[in-house]
Amino acid sequence: MLHVFVVHVENKPGVLTRVASLFRRRAFNIDSLTVGRTEKADVSRMTIVVDTDKDGARRLEAHLYKLVNVLLVEDITGTPSINRDLAMIKVSCTQDTRPQILALVEVFRARVVDLAMDSIIMEITGNEEKIDRLVEVLQPYGVMEMVRTGIVAMRRGVTTPINKEANATQVYEDTGVSYSV
């Protein structure tokens, strides 16, 4: 099962390497990883998607908290949240196929960002399924190139404390899972 972690970290050099190394050492494959600044200049936010079971997710969360520069870890899997992915797709087109492709762009609420004689570049934002469906219907026209950002996620309706005091009060249930190395 895919687990979505939101990790707030100090905006310092080497933090991304430490987090990625933790996943490598624990033999977890990162399905998606996005990093960006937050409303606070000294805090960055990572959205990490990992395919693991519930116990694996709990161990990852505990290990992430052990890293010095990690401020807050949330496993928002199964909680009301908004997940989005952005993709840019370059599709081959001719004079005859251009209107059909532009109609598909409109149906999927994508946006054309570049138009050339023989290609169209569009951007689309949404959940992974929506983007997958657009790519699927564009395949017959010839997808020349595609890039996706990976998932970014935000919990609905809950403000998140980003301070170490909040982390210190975090309580873990004892479920019999060993968090040792």
Side-chain angles (χ1 to χ4, degrees):
M1 175 181 180
L2 290 179
H3 282 264
V4 180
F5 293 95
V6 173
V7 183
H8 293 259
V9 297
E10 293 175 319
N11 192 6
K12 293 184 174 179
V15 174
L16 178 60
T17 301
R18 283 188 207 102
V19 171
S21 293
L22 180 141
F23 282 81
R24 179 189 51 78
R25 286 192 313 270
R26 305 291 177 218
F28 288 98
N29 185 40
I30 296 174
D31 193 65
S32 170
L33 170 66
T34 57
V35 183
R37 292 185 209 138
T38 64
E39 68 280 2
K40 297 182 178 184
D42 57 342
V43 176
S44 291
R45 180 184 172 115
M46 298 179 176
T47 305
I48 306 169
V49 180
V50 179
D51 189 7
T52 186
D53 58 11
K54 187 176 177 181
D55 290 339
R58 294 181 64 79
R59 280 195 307 271
L60 276 174
E61 186 175 350
H63 287 301
L64 283 166
Y65 268 120
K66 290 179 183 175
L67 297 177
V68 173
N69 303 109
V70 171
L71 304 173
L72 178 69
V73 181
E74 295 178 290
D75 182 358
I76 63 169
T77 308
T79 61
S81 60
I82 305 295
N83 297 339
R84 291 290 183 265
D85 193 356
L86 177 122
M88 291 178 54
I89 306 165
K90 185 188 292 183
V91 181
S92 175
C93 73
T94 63
Q95 292 279 347
D96 297 333
T97 60
R98 182 171 295 161
Q100 298 163 357
I101 294 171
L102 292 176
L104 289 171
V105 166
E106 191 172 316
V107 166
F108 281 88
R109 294 188 211 157
R111 191 168 73 113
V112 173
V113 292
D114 186 60
L115 192 60
M117 292 299 292
D118 57 352
S119 67
I120 296 173
I121 298 176
M122 63 193 77
E123 68 179 14
I124 181 170
T125 304
N127 60 34
E128 287 188 305
E129 293 80 24
K130 177 183 175 183
I131 295 171
D132 291 342
R133 281 183 279 140
L134 177 60
V135 171
E136 185 180 311
V137 297
L138 290 173
Q139 288 291 349
Y141 299 100
V143 174
M144 301 167 70
E145 193 174 348
M146 182 176 81
V147 62
R148 293 174 78 153
T149 60
I151 293 175
V152 292
M154 185 173 283
R155 185 183 290 214
R156 290 182 127 176
V158 177
T159 57
T160 305
I162 307 174
N163 56 45
K164 290 189 175 190
E165 290 79 28
N167 292 339
T169 61
Q170 180 102 15
V171 177
Y172 289 99
E173 294 178 29
D174 184 11
T175 59
V177 176
S178 172
Y179 299 112
S180 63
V181 178

